[in-house]
Amino acid sequence: GGGARGKGKGSDKPKPPPKKRDAKQPPKPRKPTPKQRAVEDARAADKVAKAALDAEASKAASSAQCRLDAIAAEKQKKADEERRALQRRQEAERAVADLRTQASLRADARLANAPEALAQSRKTHREKLRSLKSDLKKCTTLVRKVQLGITADDEAKLLNDIKALNLTRYVSELVDAVSETRKTKDRDCSALARVCGALHSRFETFSGEVQKKLLIVVEERSDEADDKRQRAALKLLLELVLHGIISSEVVDPLLRRCCGVGPKGKVRFPVDAPLLGAFLKTGGEELCGVTSRKARLLIAEVGETYTRATVVEDPSSLAQLALDATKRVSSKLLSDHEALRSLERKAARDALNHGSLTEEKEKALEDARKAREKLVKEVSALCDALDIDPPVLLDGDDSEEEDDK
């Protein structure tokens, strides 16, 4: 009976209380109802449709902006081209105007230095000599200014001073000052020639003495010769011819000096390319009858015709002398270019075999390149002055077998 009671007692145990839900644990989501799902699907579809519309609108706006940008860029490009064309034309007009002014000044000077006009100028100067100032300070200042080298900006004042001063005692000093010129710019050389013209119209011995001293400078051929001073002396001599101050008889010997050719046409020396370039730049049109390519293109840009009168009897023979000399320099350039290419190929093989070049070989290669570049510039200047095409320098590699021959 006791066992039955115990079993019954155990079965009467109270049930444990239900577990409390953790407050931090989120409630389980409830499944949306069909109506709610339909609403959500509709919203999602609206969002997708709106995004598609926005993308299409953005694409259309971007395309329209691209078209506007392209139109604006095309307008800007056209405006830039028109501006550059206008600028080129204005520059060409100024350059042609300068050419006309230069030719006009030279022509006026030749008239002023014609025998009858020159005789009258010297007579007038002698009559007014007593009324001119003999101010020591002003006279020495003028001589000093010419010694230092005048520019185009100094011309007007110097011409006025020459008119006002009695420079009779300073002629020899002025001859020396002019003969030492180092000015190579075209405007400065022309200005100095007109100053010489003013002195020439007053003092009979001035131009002859200047001519002698300048010719000595140009004809020097020693290694110590001052290249810049030679070019300045040559350009001044040519300007004196073009201004009618000295005879054009000096032109042919000067050109032969530049070309390295004797009186009978025999080649005696290498062409002095820088000196020949200076000759053609200063007097190519009026002495040789040739217009430079640069000037021809400028004149074509303006759309005008322009010619200068020659001041020598046979300009074509002078032009032929210059052309023959330019061909000789061009042949030398082609030869030097081939030699340099061969040297570069050998240097490349030496560097590949030995890792590097010796200092002597590197210097030889660099010197050859500099000499070639200098010659290229000189030939280009000569070809432009004569309006001919420069030689074509090939850059392709020849076979190594040629180098080994």
Side-chain angles (χ1 to χ4, degrees):
R5 283 196 305 273
K7 188 176 180 181
K9 186 178 181 181
S11 61
D12 294 336
K13 285 183 179 180
K15 293 182 180 179
K19 292 183 179 180
K20 293 183 179 180
R21 189 174 63 190
D22 190 353
K24 295 180 180 179
Q25 184 178 358
K28 291 182 180 181
R30 294 180 179 180
K31 291 182 179 181
T33 63
K35 184 177 180 180
Q36 290 174 332
R37 190 178 293 113
V39 171
E40 289 177 0
D41 290 344
R43 286 176 179 173
D46 289 343
K47 190 180 292 185
V48 170
K50 187 176 182 303
L53 289 174
D54 290 345
E56 189 67 26
S58 176
K59 184 178 179 181
S62 177
S63 178
Q65 187 61 45
C66 287
R67 286 195 297 273
L68 291 174
D69 291 343
I71 293 171
E74 187 65 27
K75 286 183 178 179
Q76 185 62 44
K77 182 180 178 182
K78 186 176 181 181
D80 290 342
E81 289 176 352
E82 291 176 351
R83 178 179 53 79
R84 284 193 292 268
L86 178 61
Q87 186 176 359
R88 285 195 304 271
R89 182 172 179 81
Q90 290 174 342
E91 289 175 355
E93 288 174 347
R94 285 195 294 269
V96 173
D98 289 343
L99 290 173
R100 292 184 184 281
T101 300
Q102 184 187 59
S104 176
L105 288 172
R106 287 173 175 175
D108 291 344
R110 287 195 292 273
L111 291 175
N113 289 307
E116 292 183 3
L118 188 62
Q120 183 61 42
S121 295
R122 287 174 178 167
K123 180 182 177 181
T124 303
H125 177 255
R126 286 192 297 270
E127 292 172 352
K128 293 183 177 180
L129 197 58
R130 291 184 179 180
S131 65
L132 299 178
K133 297 178 182 178
S134 298
D135 189 304
L136 176 63
K137 183 178 179 181
K138 289 184 177 180
C139 289
T140 53
T141 299
L142 187 147
V143 173
R144 181 63 176 161
K145 182 62 182 174
V146 177
Q147 277 180 332
L148 293 174
I150 69 169
T151 64
D153 297 333
D154 303 318
E155 179 185 351
K157 186 177 187 311
L158 283 171
L159 292 177
N160 287 331
D161 290 343
I162 290 170
K163 288 179 182 178
L165 296 173
N166 181 356
L167 297 167
T168 306
R169 297 181 180 179
Y170 301 91
V171 174
S172 61
E173 292 181 49
L174 286 166
V175 168
D176 292 337
V178 169
S179 304
E180 293 171 3
T181 180
R182 296 174 62 85
K183 296 293 182 181
T184 57
K185 288 184 177 180
D186 294 341
R187 292 177 69 248
D188 296 342
C189 288
S190 297
L192 181 54
R194 286 187 284 277
V195 169
C196 289
L199 295 169
H200 172 65
S201 67
R202 287 159 175 77
F203 309 109
E204 189 173 353
T205 61
F206 174 80
S207 58
E209 293 299 315
V210 167
Q211 177 180 333
K212 289 178 185 177
K213 288 182 176 290
L214 291 175
L215 283 172
I216 292 172
V217 175
V218 175
E219 289 169 358
E220 186 179 358
R221 288 187 182 274
S222 66
D223 295 335
E224 290 77 24
D226 187 331
D227 294 341
K228 183 174 181 180
R229 190 182 172 199
Q230 281 192 322
R231 290 197 303 276
L234 173 69
K235 294 184 77 166
L236 180 55
L237 277 168
L238 296 177
E239 286 289 356
L240 294 178
V241 171
L242 296 171
H243 282 74
I245 298 169
I246 63 176
S247 170
S248 60
E249 292 177 357
V250 301
V251 173
D252 184 78
L254 285 174
L255 182 55
R256 291 180 183 279
R257 158 66 181 91
C258 299
C259 298
V261 176
K264 296 182 179 180
K266 183 178 180 181
V267 176
R268 299 172 60 188
F269 300 99
V271 178
D272 192 326
L275 213 55
L276 178 57
F279 183 102
L280 293 172
K281 185 177 181 183
T282 302
E285 290 190 337
E286 288 152 301
L287 299 176
C288 300
V290 293
T291 301
S292 71
R293 180 164 296 185
K294 181 179 179 181
R296 179 172 62 79
L297 294 176
L298 286 172
I299 294 166
E301 182 78 22
V302 176
E304 298 182 12
T305 57
Y306 167 74
T307 55
R308 288 196 194 189
T310 54
V311 297
V312 293
E313 292 182 1
D314 189 9
S316 60
S317 64
L318 297 178
Q320 191 60 49
L321 266 177
L323 183 60
D324 291 342
T326 300
K327 289 179 179 178
R328 284 164 53 202
V329 182
S330 298
S331 296
K332 185 179 186 305
L333 172 60
L334 292 171
S335 176
D336 288 1
H337 180 65
E338 276 303 312
L340 175 59
R341 290 172 60 204
S342 177
L343 187 62
E344 287 175 335
R345 288 192 292 270
K346 289 177 181 178
R349 288 199 297 271
D350 288 347
L352 186 63
N353 294 332
H354 304 290
S356 63
L357 292 176
T358 63
E359 188 174 336
E360 289 183 3
K361 288 183 177 180
E362 283 186 354
K363 187 177 184 306
L365 186 60
E366 186 62 26
D367 290 345
R369 284 172 176 162
K370 288 181 179 178
R372 194 271 309 272
E373 291 306 313
K374 181 174 180 289
L375 194 55
V376 166
K377 291 180 181 179
E378 292 171 351
V379 170
S380 297
L382 294 177
C383 291
D384 178 81
L386 294 169
D387 196 9
I388 60 175
D389 294 328
V392 178
L393 302 180
L394 300 177
D395 292 326
D397 291 332
D398 292 337
S399 63
E400 295 186 5
E401 295 175 2
E402 285 188 24
D403 297 333
D404 297 334
K405 290 180 182 180

